[in-house]
Amino acid sequence: MISTIVESPVGALTLVSDGAGLTQLTFPGHRVAFASAPAGADAVLDQARRELELYFTGKLKAFQVPLAASGTAFQQRVWAALRDIPYGQTRTYAQQAAAIGAPKASRAVGSANGRNPVSIIVPCHRVIGAAGALTGYAGGTARKRFLLELEGAALAR
């Protein structure tokens, strides 16, 4: 495992790679603590950095960097469904629960979203409350709002 820090409009992002895929993308003060890794460089980190630069300039709508996020089978299902939410659109926790075939699991979906180790790239910021509120985000709601506005998502005021 190796890591690098990338400056972005939402703060310094810590990227971690296992050499085959990105295992983490975290913000300063991330609500969930992940393991640290020594600084280094590899092709995965280079690709993630390039794609993030393009994303933050509005030139990238879908990430291609390989992922190696670690989680339970349920978390993996939730995170896979997040990647199906189109750029610039939002879904509710209930819609995401239905999308994974567990319509009564809105809270569990919210918990899995909160444990997403590759924020932004796996777009948990695109999931909002039923009434349109920007509920819970490991990077804070100000970052969530910034990311959604960057993507041009329609937000309740």
Side-chain angles (χ1 to χ4, degrees):
M1 301 284 251
I2 57 171
S3 69
T4 191
I5 295 177
V6 174
E7 292 300 326
S8 82
V10 292
L13 305 175
T14 300
L15 309 178
V16 179
S17 166
D18 67 1
L22 195 67
T23 63
Q24 295 175 37
L25 183 158
T26 57
F27 304 101
H30 206 93
R31 288 188 201 161
V32 178
F34 294 102
S36 61
D42 72 5
V44 171
L45 295 175
D46 291 344
Q47 181 179 352
R49 180 184 299 109
R50 281 190 309 274
E51 289 185 11
L52 285 163
E53 288 171 0
L54 291 170
Y55 171 79
F56 283 118
T57 59
K59 297 175 184 165
L60 182 84
K61 302 206 182 330
F63 291 93
Q64 300 300 315
V65 64
L67 301 177
S70 189
T72 67
F74 180 80
Q75 288 170 333
Q76 295 288 342
R77 283 180 34 219
V78 170
W79 301 336
L82 289 171
R83 296 193 82 186
D84 292 336
I85 304 172
Y87 179 95
Q89 294 185 26
T90 59
R91 299 289 184 270
T92 65
Y93 293 97
Q95 288 171 319
Q96 285 303 101
I100 64 164
K104 296 183 189 248
S106 295
R107 287 181 187 252
V109 164
S111 178
N113 279 7
R115 295 210 163 273
N116 172 14
V118 282
S119 296
I120 302 173
I121 292 173
V122 173
C124 54
H125 61 277
R126 295 179 187 155
V127 182
I128 60 174
L134 300 184
T135 58
Y137 187 60
T141 54
R143 284 189 181 108
K144 185 172 188 165
R145 178 173 295 282
F146 176 89
L147 295 169
L148 290 171
E149 287 176 348
L150 172 73
E151 295 181 7
L155 300 176
R157 291 284 169 189

